[in-house]
Amino acid sequence: QVQVVESGGGLVQAGGSLRLSCVASGRTYVMGWFRQVPGKEREFVAAATWSGSRSYYADILEGRFTISRDNAKNTVWLQMNSLKPEDTAVYYCAARFTYIEGSRAKTASEYNYWGQGTQVTVSS
């Protein structure tokens, strides 16, 4: 059974940093990060394809987050810097095993497998 497991969330003061990690149990084509606040739709954060040079970010991040991946380990990281209270959410890792055009990685419905989520809380 395919597993996607994320970790690294926690409580941090505004302006601080966190690094989230996600491991998939198979060779993925694209892995991405989404976040969700209760009562709102899941929101795209970042994604990376098999090629490390192909990455995508939500415009609202203002360059504060960086995604990276290790294909051999089926692992992706999300480095989050200069965190703001509005970044508070449950962060979900997602994976897809077949090809899609890169920009489609921003859409949650394109992913087949999801982790359980890790809570990120940013205090003011």
Side-chain angles (χ1 to χ4, degrees):
Q1 187 176 25
V2 174
Q3 293 183 221
V4 179
V5 182
E6 64 270 80
S7 61
L11 175 64
V12 64
Q13 297 271 13
S17 298
L18 284 173
R19 190 177 76 138
L20 307 184
S21 299
C22 178
V23 181
S25 60
R27 201 201 83 170
T28 61
Y29 176 75
V30 60
M31 298 180 71
W33 290 96
F34 293 76
R35 65 189 184 186
Q36 190 166 27
V37 176
K40 303 194 71 175
E41 294 185 350
R42 196 161 294 186
E43 177 184 57
F44 171 72
V45 177
T49 63
W50 178 257
S51 171
S53 64
R54 299 163 64 185
S55 58
Y56 305 87
Y57 297 94
D59 291 340
I60 59 172
L61 300 178
E62 301 174 312
R64 297 178 296 116
F65 293 7
T66 302
I67 190 169
S68 59
R69 66 176 291 166
D70 184 326
N71 294 330
K73 297 181 179 180
N74 300 309
T75 301
V76 66
W77 296 268
L78 183 69
Q79 179 67 46
M80 306 186 294
N81 298 322
S82 301
L83 284 162
K84 302 176 179 180
E86 52 262 44
D87 295 316
T88 296
V90 177
Y91 283 70
Y92 295 92
C93 181
R96 179 184 172 97
F97 288 84
T98 57
Y99 172 86
I100 52 169
E101 189 275 323
S103 63
R104 293 170 60 190
K106 299 183 293 183
T107 304
S109 62
E110 297 285 4
Y111 293 83
N112 306 107
Y113 302 96
W114 293 84
Q116 297 276 54
T118 185
Q119 176 70 46
V120 172
T121 302
V122 184
S123 62
S124 58

